[in-house]
Amino acid sequence: MSYFGSVKFFKHIIISVAFLILIFPYSVLIYIILGSNIDQKQVYNTSESINSTTQDMLSFNAYKILHANQMSKEVLSILPSKDIISYQQKYKDLYVERKNFSNVVSNEKIAYLTFDDGPSNITLDILDILDNYKIKATFFVIYKDDDLSLKVYKEIVNRGHTLAVHSASHIYKDIYNSVDDYLDDFYKMFMHIYEVTGVKPNLFRFPGGSINSYNVNIYQELISEMLRRGFVYYDWNVTSGDAVKGATKEDIVKSVSNGLREYNKIIVLMHDSATKKNTSESLPKIIENLQNEGFRFDKLDGTVSPIEFGYSE
Ligand code: ZN
């Protein structure tokens, strides 16, 4: 009797089918469980690699933040940006050529007197005093269009001083509302100076300084946009304290003298406004004190390495 068709054959068939029915699902189940473990491992590995990428990005961002202060302005201005930000498209004529900073290290004592918020009815007095001492200074001005102010802008330039942008409106909450708003105000002042004097100002000073409570959310974006356009801004390291209510001439003179400390290069903050007659009247004494301390005077011109609160060279 052949094997096929025998009782043994049918027994084997039944056993095989039973085996397949019972064993096969278990095998598949085991395979799925093992497989899912492998998948989980892969997922885990993937998430690990995502984590490390994120960490790399985080440390890159930290690197950028940590080293932003040390990055040269040239590097900042050519950082590639994937999307051109809309305000970068504004005012195609609001660009100036940045000069190279003179990196001559010397122990020579130099004082840069700076006057903010003019023109005013004391500007001509200030200009006469500076002429008497044969000193050049820097004026960060605001927008005015009365006859005296137009004359003052021109006098500042004609007498060889630096005329620079402060702000058109000088209203903090408006200009620091956004980078766009700042540019709108800056452009108005920039064009006003250019139209009145024929000089394109390449320096500016932020109202309230480069970091203040009004621009704290936008100052980094704002500063890099201004640097990208070629402008140089100057804060100060010595203040005359003339903006303090009730400051006397003696207070102002003393504030400058006390502020000298160990600095060889000082940028002195003073104000040029109708309410600051004490400033112009204390100016001769301030100048003489600085001369006695061994300082010579100069104007800011864009080659002077800036003193900045936000970014330092
Ligand atoms: Zn000001």
Side-chain angles (χ1 to χ4, degrees):
M1 196 194 231
S2 77
Y3 171 69
F4 296 105
S6 68
V7 173
K8 213 173 184 180
F9 168 74
F10 285 110
K11 261 189 191 169
H12 285 168
I13 292 283
I14 290 163
I15 290 166
S16 302
V17 169
F19 176 81
L20 285 174
I21 290 169
L22 291 171
I23 303 301
F24 183 72
Y26 284 110
S27 308
V28 171
L29 199 65
I30 288 165
Y31 176 79
I32 289 170
I33 290 166
L34 283 175
S36 77
N37 269 346
I38 290 164
D39 282 352
Q40 274 177 3
K41 268 188 192 158
Q42 279 170 347
V43 169
Y44 181 68
N45 285 339
T46 313
S47 73
E48 245 185 0
S49 71
I50 287 170
N51 276 340
S52 66
T53 312
T54 314
Q55 274 173 0
D56 284 346
M57 282 170 69
L58 284 174
S59 41
F60 177 59
N61 283 335
Y63 172 86
K64 280 203 298 191
I65 292 163
L66 281 172
H67 294 268
N69 287 348
Q70 289 152 27
M71 289 166 85
S72 74
K73 291 190 175 126
E74 284 71 20
V75 172
L76 277 172
S77 64
I78 56 162
L79 271 180
S81 92
K82 257 193 244 155
D83 311 303
I84 303 240
I85 305 159
S86 63
Y87 57 67
Q88 294 182 347
Q89 308 280 54
K90 291 179 102 166
Y91 305 126
K92 301 283 184 202
D93 50 351
L94 189 59
Y95 286 83
V96 289
E97 207 172 308
R98 189 180 304 120
K99 297 172 183 174
N100 290 325
F101 298 134
S102 67
N103 290 319
V104 181
V105 180
S106 83
N107 290 327
E108 190 188 16
K109 290 180 162 185
I110 308 177
Y112 302 94
L113 302 180
T114 65
F115 298 90
D116 288 11
D117 302 351
S120 79
N121 60 1
I122 66 163
T123 320
L124 293 175
D125 295 341
I126 292 172
L127 289 173
D128 288 344
I129 295 165
L130 294 173
D131 279 351
N132 284 344
Y133 289 90
K134 297 186 170 54
I135 283 172
K136 301 300 179 210
T138 306
F139 293 79
F140 295 100
V141 293
I142 61 172
Y143 187 97
K144 289 185 179 174
D145 60 1
D146 58 283
D147 288 346
L148 173 66
S149 298
L150 297 181
K151 182 188 168 193
V152 165
Y153 293 129
K154 287 183 214 160
E155 279 292 300
I156 291 171
V157 172
N158 291 341
R159 299 202 201 183
H161 303 287
T162 297
L163 184 59
V165 174
H166 194 32
S167 167
S169 76
H170 204 274
I171 299 171
Y172 289 20
K173 68 174 172 38
D174 292 347
I175 62 175
Y176 294 133
N177 185 48
S178 66
V179 177
D180 274 279
D181 288 335
Y182 184 86
L183 287 176
D184 293 345
D185 175 85
F186 188 95
Y187 184 70
K188 184 179 176 186
M189 194 62 234
F190 175 84
M191 289 310 287
H192 190 50
I193 290 176
Y194 182 48
E195 281 160 12
V196 174
T197 68
V199 175
K200 277 188 181 175
N202 61 337
L203 315 181
F204 71 105
R205 173 172 284 157
F206 289 105
S210 58
I211 303 178
N212 57 66
S213 56
Y214 290 84
N215 73 1
V216 69
N217 292 322
I218 62 161
Y219 80 90
Q220 282 179 317
E221 217 184 325
L222 179 55
I223 287 171
S224 46
E225 174 61 3
M226 295 309 291
L227 298 179
R228 191 186 68 82
R229 289 174 180 266
F231 294 95
V232 180
Y233 67 95
Y234 291 90
D235 286 321
W236 58 88
N237 57 2
V238 174
T239 173
S240 65
D242 62 354
V244 176
K245 214 176 167 205
T248 63
K249 282 179 256 182
E250 291 72 28
D251 293 337
I252 294 168
V253 170
K254 208 187 257 180
S255 174
V256 174
S257 297
N258 289 345
L260 301 183
R261 293 187 218 121
E262 76 280 19
Y263 299 125
N264 279 331
K265 187 179 84 169
I266 58 168
I267 298 183
V268 185
L269 171 68
M270 291 187 274
H271 290 89
D272 168 11
S273 76
T275 56
K276 302 286 189 301
K277 242 184 152 31
N278 279 344
T279 303
S280 56
E281 288 175 1
S282 54
L283 188 55
K285 186 79 183 139
I286 288 172
I287 292 170
E288 284 165 23
N289 283 350
L290 287 172
Q291 284 174 334
N292 291 338
E293 290 282 339
F295 283 89
R296 74 169 179 90
F297 296 83
D298 209 344
K299 60 184 176 181
L300 298 168
D301 64 355
T303 68
V304 179
S305 186
I307 289 162
E308 299 161 340
F309 301 154
Y311 288 77
S312 57
E313 282 284 288

